[in-house]
Amino acid sequence: MSTNVAQFQEAAARVTADTRQRQFIRTALGNYEIARDKRKAAFQSWESARQAAALTKWEAVNHLDTHLEELVAKLEARGTKVHWASNGTQAREIILGIVAAKQAKSIIKSKAMTSEEIHLNEALEKAGFEVVESDLGEFIVQLRGEAPYHIVFPSMHLTRGQIRELFARELGSTSSDSPEELTMVARRVMRHKYITADIGFTGGNFAIAETGMISITENEGNARLTAALPKTMVTLIGIEKVLPKLADLALFLPMLATAGAGQPLTCYNTMYGGPRQPGEADGPEEWHVVLLDNLRTELLADAEQRDALHCIRCGACLNVCPIFRNVGGHTYGTTYSGPVGSVITPHLRGLQDWKHLSNASSLCGACTEACPVKIDLHHHLLHNRRNAATEKPAFLERMGYKIFGIIANDPLFWSLAKKFGWLTQPLQKLVMGTALDPARAWTKTRDLPPLARQSFKDWWKHRP
Amino acid sequence: MTVTLFVPCFVDALFPRAGISMVQILERLGHRVVCPAEVACCGQPPFNSGYWDEARPIARKVLQQLKDAEAVVIGSGSCGAMVKKFYPELFAGQPEAELATQIANRTWEFSEFLVRKLGVTDLGAHFPAKVTFHDGCHGLRELGIKQSPRALLGRVRGLELIEMKEAETCCGFGGTFAAKFPSISTAMGEVKCNSALETEAEYIVSNDSSCLMHIQGLLSRQGKPLKTLHLAEVLNHA
Amino acid sequence: MNEREKILTRIREALKVPAPSPGTHAPASHLPVPGVPGLPSLRVPAPTTAAPVEARRWLPKVGPGFPEQLALFAQNAADLKATFQIFANWTELNAALVQLRDAENWQRVASHQSELSSQACAALQRPVCWTDKGYDVLALESCDVGVTECDALIAQTGSVLVTSRSAGGRALSVLPPHHVVIARREQLVADLPAAFALLQQKYAPEFPSMMGFITGPSRTGDIERILVLGAHGPKKLTIFCV
Ligand code: SF4
């Protein structure tokens, strides 16, 4: 067993044993579902909107080269500096280079999963820069030295009490545990940071080829401020984020808000087309856009799973996933958790090392049903399982299935197997649920149904 | 009509009464039922574990046995999804590709066959009890089965159907998943059992015995009185 | 080969194999059982193209006339916890502004030079931090309110569309704790597709460097998913329309 799977199993066992935590997550996501269903119902046709969004993304991803070239040409025409990074190391070097050239001291960041993906904060801090996450949830997990729990709701696993203690310890705040007061503590800390930061760092939700823009979706206004006040702005975005037309956002913005958080529209949806332009009041003097591949082209090369690049990181698949709900975000040990993380992580970080995430699914399909861009998520889990078993079959498992096939395909063997099972069943009862029980994985928590004395096939054969 | 009934392996070995009920219902409706002796399993365990090469011989046997069937009825949403939805994918690019698609088109899950193919909802059943219905995910999401079982239960005399909360959430069985990741599977099952218990129903009914095996296993371990029952057994209850 | 070329080459290589059309594996539709009441059918007319013009057919419905759209905007604004008022004339609007000023004790106002916002500032009679030609960030931060114009109000979502050109830059509409938008009633548009059409028509190809939809006051749910207003941006959003 690889260490990853052992860690996953261990973490899963720990979290699932914590009924209080599971209930806490379930309540939060239950409320999300109510809001989401209300917003979905407001659409004239949510299903058609999904289909249209899937078609648009399909077009964008399947002509990625031309869209990217158009995007970059348009961005550069307005004075934006575009950088291409094949992998995380290059992206970090580019960003560190910019920060160093500006002799920056502090960097204010708005939420970006791509920066988690390339471990940017660690790199910047190691190089001696101060990095502050400005999104409240990200700020909280940053203070705790943790990874985000969820790609959209980074701190949803924490109670207000835990956050109050954290703020008291780290910020010396004397706030009560009202969410309102705690938010204001963060607001005050952050105000100062915006004003003094040399660099504003953001991610991006969509890149518009037609007009050369990056669209950022957020609720708090932190990205708006990050893109307004510091003199230099740096944006890191995956190459797959392209949409062909500006007007495509008319569909994607409300769908992202609905699927992601059950909102009609996220509070701030902002499209940036360049650094401060002549005649404008403010904005950064320089804007650097870093386009990140980091094995996205590998996923692109897998035509069967190419639609995984349609992902708009809305988090809907996490929210509805019964696995995610019961094991929580940190158990995955990945940047992208939940169903979409289980699908893409094997492509980004190695199939054999991360295939267990594809196995850790009941294939219920709730994710696929929830996905606003119709990614075939749960079938891709199946495809990952197939690819993993084909590439490197587990000897015993494969033999087991071969033997099972021989037995199942032969009526005599099949009936003998049932007889054998029926005869040995009383022995199994003696060790039920103990370490000696060969079916312990099942029987530790569940009873086994008895094998029927007369199977269906026996009944059929002997019926008058 | 001659109906070829495909009784899944675990129904055969563990829940024969569900299979027997299906035979009796179909015969009461005036159809000839045949059960191919040679097919035991649809091949889903190796298929879902990624061992498609090992699944193919099993599935191939099924295709051969069902080749001439007029209509195939499967007493499980999960195995139904395997034949209807995944056989064409499993045999894509193989000599059996076309046969797989043909058979997929002639295959029905039991409740869907009754309601959509035969147009029957009232089977004259009598079952005076409070029940809640569990939708197996494969039936629900791969095959879109939601209404047929409810249409059938709605005509059972004396039966009161109470929908549970989060009715469409997976019970956590998931085939080999249940044994490979028992802690997660159990946690999911607990959520499902609690939803069912909240309804104060006496029975959890489903068109998928595999989910019920998992749910029943949890309930009886916890000493809960709630019982599980296959849809066919309810419909066959006079 | 530089990284740009390398990445583009990898993309072109990858795209040599075509991908299956989108949504082909989607779950079967839940057909209704004839004659049996139950859940509504999930089967819907599928879009044939991904053209953005079609979006209007799927998005939340908006009535055709001004009164309906105004009512919808007002309803959405209320749901978002924004304040929206429409006035018959400038006198009434100015009076409401002054009332707000006194209620919240505004000492310093931030704004930009344009017809509507300048007029509003004149009525407020407070020192104004103008952002147009650059400004001191600390001065802007210490203002009690930011008064701006906008490009459009969107009935469908209750949003205000602003750009760095129409609303005095990037920070004015988001740094002060209260954002007051002064708009004309003609600026109300039906829906998001109309808003994007307006942006194209008004600005293309020289778009402002920032264009954005503001949908209610700044908010967060990051603590126990409980809604708190004024996370980083304004705690209050007031939209006055004349
Ligand atoms: S896979 Fe789909 S549902 Fe999941 S985060 Fe991406 S877009 Fe959202």
Side-chain angles (χ1 to χ4, degrees), chain A residues 78 86 187 191 220 224 376, chain C residues 3 25 173 207 218 232-233:
Chain A
R78 314 279 314 274
S86 281
R187 180 184 168 106
R191 282 271 148 162
E220 299 182 0
R224 283 281 312 265
D376 199 11
Chain C
E3 288 317 307
H25 295 267
S173 51
F207 291 99
S218 156
H232 291 289

Side-chain angles (χ1 to χ4, degrees), chain A residues 151-152 256 259-260 307-308 310-320 337-341 343 367-368 370-377:
Chain A
I151 58 175
V152 179
L256 173 59
D307 65 352
H310 296 183
C311 179
I312 58 174
R313 305 277 185 261
C314 70
C317 57
L318 284 67
N319 299 346
V320 300
S337 61
V340 67
V343 169
C367 48
T368 306
C371 178
V373 289
K374 286 189 142 183
I375 301 172
D376 199 11
L377 291 160

Side-chain angles (χ1 to χ4, degrees), chain A residues 320-368:
Chain A
V320 300
C321 177
I323 316 289
F324 182 91
R325 285 181 174 212
N326 284 299
V327 306
H330 288 145
T331 299
Y332 291 80
T334 57
T335 305
Y336 304 104
S337 61
V340 67
S342 300
V343 169
I344 65 174
T345 306
H347 294 265
L348 305 181
R349 293 171 70 179
L351 177 60
Q352 295 304 331
D353 286 339
W354 296 95
K355 64 180 179 191
H356 61 280
L357 296 181
S358 297
N359 289 325
S361 163
S362 60
L363 302 176
C364 77
C367 48
T368 306

Side-chain angles (χ1 to χ4, degrees), chain C residues 13-175:
Chain C
E13 270 306 306
L15 291 177
K16 280 182 181 160
V17 185
S21 50
T24 41
H25 295 267
S29 56
H30 298 211
L31 293 166
V33 178
V36 178
L39 295 172
S41 163
L42 289 184
R43 175 163 282 186
V44 285
T48 45
T49 72
V53 281
E54 283 210 309
R56 182 166 285 144
R57 291 168 53 195
W58 325 126
L59 291 173
K61 203 165 182 69
V62 181
F66 179 77
E68 288 138 286
Q69 294 181 3
L70 186 71
L72 180 61
F73 185 86
Q75 178 60 52
N76 281 329
D79 288 349
L80 292 161
K81 304 196 161 42
T83 307
F84 170 65
Q85 266 182 288
I86 185 157
F87 301 96
N89 53 48
W90 270 101
T91 324
E92 282 182 22
L93 189 150
N94 286 343
L97 269 176
V98 169
Q99 210 181 1
L100 205 52
R101 175 199 70 189
D102 296 342
E104 297 192 354
N105 191 21
W106 295 343
Q107 296 301 321
R108 280 175 56 81
V109 173
S111 190
H112 62 113
Q113 306 270 3
S114 73
E115 199 195 328
L116 304 184
S117 52
S118 303
Q119 218 163 323
C121 287
L124 283 170
Q125 295 183 309
R126 285 286 181 272
V128 181
C129 166
W130 299 104
T131 60
D132 307 75
K133 299 216 165 62
Y135 53 88
D136 174 39
V137 181
L138 286 172
L140 179 61
E141 211 268 330
S142 67
C143 289
D144 303 299
V145 61
V147 179
T148 77
E149 287 197 2
C150 69
D151 292 85
L153 305 176
I154 295 109
Q156 188 173 48
T157 56
S159 312
V160 181
L161 174 60
V162 297
T163 65
S164 42
R165 245 176 267 169
S166 68
R170 297 188 183 197
L172 177 58
S173 51
V174 73
L175 194 58

Side-chain angles (χ1 to χ4, degrees), chain B residues 124-162:
Chain B
H126 182 79
F127 193 81
K130 280 191 199 165
V131 307
T132 186
F133 188 80
H134 167 65
D135 296 281
C137 297
H138 267 107
L140 179 69
R141 296 203 183 81
E142 302 292 351
L143 301 178
I145 303 170
K146 172 94 190 180
Q147 312 213 19
S148 297
R150 287 173 175 76
L152 292 161
L153 287 175
R155 300 294 173 90
V156 175
R157 315 227 173 353
L159 182 144
E160 187 190 346
L161 177 66
I162 309 162

Side-chain angles (χ1 to χ4, degrees), chain B:
Chain B
M1 169 173 5
T2 303
V3 177
T4 306
L5 185 67
F6 181 169
V7 172
C9 52
F10 53 89
V11 173
D12 175 38
L14 301 166
F15 309 105
R17 284 216 309 277
I20 296 169
S21 301
M22 287 179 230
V23 174
Q24 290 172 346
I25 288 168
L26 290 166
E27 287 184 344
R28 260 209 316 281
L29 291 169
H31 301 285
R32 197 169 82 86
V33 178
V34 295
C35 293
E38 304 231 332
V39 298
C41 174
C42 63
Q44 192 163 194
F47 177 80
N48 273 358
S49 303
Y51 292 84
W52 291 21
D53 290 338
E54 282 65 36
R56 262 186 222 102
I58 306 178
R60 204 171 277 129
K61 180 96 179 185
V62 174
L63 290 181
Q64 283 160 9
Q65 294 282 313
L66 301 180
K67 192 161 74 241
D68 303 314
E70 189 183 347
V72 179
V73 170
I74 301 189
S76 146
S78 184
C79 307
M82 182 66 196
V83 175
K84 273 188 89 61
K85 192 124 179 198
F86 295 116
Y87 274 14
E89 186 170 356
L90 181 62
F91 287 105
Q94 307 262 336
E96 297 90 342
E98 214 194 296
L99 180 63
T101 311
Q102 281 171 11
I103 290 180
N105 292 336
R106 275 185 270 139
T107 298
W108 299 83
E109 180 276 333
F110 175 68
S111 70
E112 289 276 283
F113 182 73
L114 293 177
V115 175
R116 294 188 198 281
K117 176 76 176 173
L118 301 181
V120 185
T121 48
D122 192 345
L123 295 159
H126 182 79
F127 193 81
K130 280 191 199 165
V131 307
T132 186
F133 188 80
H134 167 65
D135 296 281
C137 297
H138 267 107
L140 179 69
R141 296 203 183 81
E142 302 292 351
L143 301 178
I145 303 170
K146 172 94 190 180
Q147 312 213 19
S148 297
R150 287 173 175 76
L152 292 161
L153 287 175
R155 300 294 173 90
V156 175
R157 315 227 173 353
L159 182 144
E160 187 190 346
L161 177 66
I162 309 162
E163 296 286 355
M164 62 181 119
K165 261 193 241 149
E166 298 180 48
E168 296 192 355
T169 301
C170 178
C171 69
F173 172 63
T176 50
F177 165 74
K180 284 183 179 168
F181 297 90
S183 64
I184 311 176
S185 170
T186 301
M188 289 161 71
E190 282 167 9
V191 174
K192 177 65 34 176
C193 290
N194 289 339
S195 304
L197 286 165
E198 270 175 36
T199 64
E200 297 186 343
E202 298 151 73
Y203 293 92
I204 307 182
V205 176
S206 176
N207 51 350
D208 229 318
S209 301
S210 49
C211 306
L212 292 181
M213 173 168 78
H214 166 68
I215 295 171
Q216 182 72 70
L218 284 162
L219 287 170
S220 39
R221 178 60 59 89
Q222 292 161 9
K224 296 280 169 14
L226 190 54
K227 290 271 168 266
T228 57
L229 211 49
H230 191 280
L231 177 67
E233 291 177 72
V234 175
L235 299 177
N236 197 34
H237 203 273

